[in-house]
């Protein structure tokens, strides 16, 4: 299948009370690994890259690899640009073939966030691309976006409703207590807030900072309306640790076709575990 927009996929997920796992990939092997995981579990999939990875690899390289992967399967797969703050990169990615983009204007006051999101909505609507926006500020570090604890703030349910109404944005990432990176303790998720936001807006909600969130918290968040769960850091660690293991045992190894094999497998296994947590295995058929 060709890459598809994630709008409908996520609406179906929210109605069906499951979430689509969205994985940040940085190499061809990581991309192949998450696709293989989706194939094995008959799962819909969102492949995503941050702006840093777009700059590192080139949006066309990423889009072509994702298109090739999607064409080889009969699964609904979307390619998403994660946490983008600038319009030129968004346009570049849509031109390259991304089917979903996030405009992160959460660092601006409400009105400016609305304005910037509306601008991206205009661009995206013309090309049938999904748009995700953020309200409140998710803490932690994502690429070059750093939000310390004091500046992280949770999304207000009434503002969420007003934001969706004013922008028409089809997917919303409200800050509800998760953070990017690795948690020091148990994440302090405000489930009551998720419920109030889900009651206030009917669009699918996105859980950022999904790495390291315990299984029961993911289940609870998904049951309340989170229809997309982002996993980045954990995947990167699994990939890198597997490569480190190879070199610890075999410091003479110099063939990427060998040391990438366990790294790819580690990513695939972790992706499958996260898909099971999200409840998306077997859901590809209802989206075809
Ligand atoms: Zn995020």
């Amino acid at each position: 299948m060709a890459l598809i927009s994630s709008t409908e996929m996520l609406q179906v997920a929210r109605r069906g009370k499951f979430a689509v796992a969205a994985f940040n990939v940085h190499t061809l092997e990581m991309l192949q690994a998450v696709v293989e995981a989706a194939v094995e579990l008959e799962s819909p999939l969102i492949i995503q890259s941050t702006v840093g990875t777009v700059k590192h690899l080139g949006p066309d390289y990423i889009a072509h690899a994702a298109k090739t992967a999607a064409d080889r399967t009969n699964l609904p797969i979307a390619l998403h640009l994660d946490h983008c703050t600038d319009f030129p990169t968004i346009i570049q990615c849509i031109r390259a073939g991304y089917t979903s983009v996030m405009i992160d204007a959460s660092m601006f006051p409400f009105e400016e966030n609305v304005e910037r999101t509306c601008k991206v909505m205009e661009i995206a609507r013309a090309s049938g691309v999904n748009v995700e926006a953020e309200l409140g500020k998710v803490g932690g570090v994502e690429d070059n976006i750093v939000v310390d604890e004091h500046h992280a703030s949770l999304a207000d349910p009434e503002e969420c409703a007003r934001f969706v109404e004013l922008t028409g944005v089809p997917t919303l990432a409200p800050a509800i207590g998760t953070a990017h990176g690795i948690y020091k303790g148990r994440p302090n998720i405000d489930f009551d807030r998720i419920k109030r936001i889900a009651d206030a807006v009917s669009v699918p909600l996105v859980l950022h900072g999904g790495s390291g969130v315990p299984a029961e918290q993911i289940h609870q968040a998904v049951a309340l309306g989170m229809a997309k769960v982002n996993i980045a850091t954990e995947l990167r660690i699994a990939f890198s640790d597997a490569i480190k293991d190879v070199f610890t045992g075999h410091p003479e190894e110099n063939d990427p076709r060998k040391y990438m094999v366990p790294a790819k497998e580690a990513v695939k296994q972790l992706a499958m575990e996260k898909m099971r947590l999200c409840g998306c295995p077997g859901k590809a058929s209802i989206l075809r």
Side-chain angles (χ1 to χ4, degrees), residues 13-30:
R14 177 153 182 201
R15 283 199 298 272
K17 291 198 184 301
F18 67 91
V20 179
F23 299 107
N24 286 62
V25 300
H26 310 286
T27 72
L28 181 59
E29 286 82 1
M30 288 181 88

Side-chain angles (χ1 to χ4, degrees), residues 24 48 82-83 102 104 132 134 138 142 173 179-180 206-210 230:
N24 286 62
Q48 53 188 34
D82 197 17
H83 286 285
M102 176 179 189
D104 183 356
E132 180 181 321
E134 179 172 317
V138 176
E142 179 78 69
H180 294 126
V206 181
L207 185 75
H208 279 247
N230 289 1

Side-chain angles (χ1 to χ4, degrees), residues 181-198:
I182 285 296
Y183 295 94
K184 289 191 193 89
R186 194 179 160 83
N188 189 16
I189 300 177
D190 188 340
F191 290 104
D192 179 58
R193 189 176 295 266
I194 301 178
K195 189 184 177 313
R196 284 187 290 133
I197 294 169

Side-chain angles (χ1 to χ4, degrees), residues 13-281:
R14 177 153 182 201
R15 283 199 298 272
K17 291 198 184 301
F18 67 91
V20 179
F23 299 107
N24 286 62
V25 300
H26 310 286
T27 72
L28 181 59
E29 286 82 1
M30 288 181 88
L31 189 149
Q32 290 173 324
V34 300
V35 173
E36 282 178 21
V39 168
E40 193 149 330
L41 296 181
E42 270 283 301
S43 172
L45 172 70
I46 297 174
I47 301 168
Q48 53 188 34
S49 62
T50 57
V51 175
T53 306
V54 167
K55 294 209 177 356
H56 176 67
L57 292 177
D60 47 349
Y61 271 108
I62 302 169
H64 277 91
K67 273 184 211 166
T68 303
D71 284 344
R72 286 177 168 218
T73 75
N74 60 349
L75 302 173
I77 300 178
L79 176 63
H80 175 74
L81 172 65
D82 197 17
H83 286 285
C84 190
T85 55
D86 69 285
F87 301 118
T89 306
I90 287 177
I91 292 166
Q92 214 189 353
C93 285
I94 292 176
R95 284 201 180 130
Y98 278 62
T99 56
S100 178
V101 292
M102 176 179 189
I103 169 70
D104 183 356
S106 62
M107 62 292 289
F108 296 109
F110 182 84
E111 302 305 332
E112 188 161 357
N113 192 348
V114 167
E115 207 175 293
R116 286 173 178 255
T117 303
C118 282
K119 199 169 157 190
V120 172
M121 282 299 295
E122 239 170 77
I123 304 165
R125 233 182 243 126
S127 37
V129 164
N130 181 65
V131 178
E132 180 181 321
E134 179 172 317
L135 261 192
K137 288 192 201 82
V138 176
V141 180
E142 179 78 69
D143 266 5
N144 54 352
I145 304 175
V146 182
V147 180
D148 64 37
E149 268 175 52
H150 302 289
H151 291 92
S153 63
L154 303 186
D156 173 70
E158 276 169 34
E159 262 192 9
C160 288
R162 207 148 57 88
F163 187 83
V164 170
E165 198 183 321
L166 290 169
T167 60
V169 79
T171 41
L172 182 69
I176 45 78
T178 50
H180 294 126
I182 285 296
Y183 295 94
K184 289 191 193 89
R186 194 179 160 83
N188 189 16
I189 300 177
D190 188 340
F191 290 104
D192 179 58
R193 189 176 295 266
I194 301 178
K195 189 184 177 313
R196 284 187 290 133
I197 294 169
D199 285 344
V201 301
S202 60
V203 298
L205 303 175
V206 181
L207 185 75
H208 279 247
S211 284
V213 177
E216 73 278 7
Q217 289 194 330
I218 296 272
H219 290 151
Q220 208 179 337
V222 171
L224 289 171
M226 289 292 178
K228 172 176 179 252
V229 173
N230 289 1
I231 309 284
T233 311
E234 259 186 287
L235 223 56
R236 199 146 51 90
I237 292 174
F239 186 75
S240 306
D241 280 354
I243 294 176
K244 287 178 204 168
D245 278 351
V246 172
F247 285 114
T248 304
H250 302 277
E252 76 291 350
E253 183 56 70
N254 59 16
D255 188 342
R257 292 165 303 181
K258 290 194 178 134
Y259 64 74
M260 285 292 193
V261 172
K264 189 176 159 188
E265 185 59 24
V267 170
K268 181 183 171 186
Q269 291 304 325
L270 184 62
M272 283 168 51
E273 184 191 320
K274 297 299 179 187
M275 285 170 171
R276 289 191 188 103
L277 279 185
C278 290
C280 53

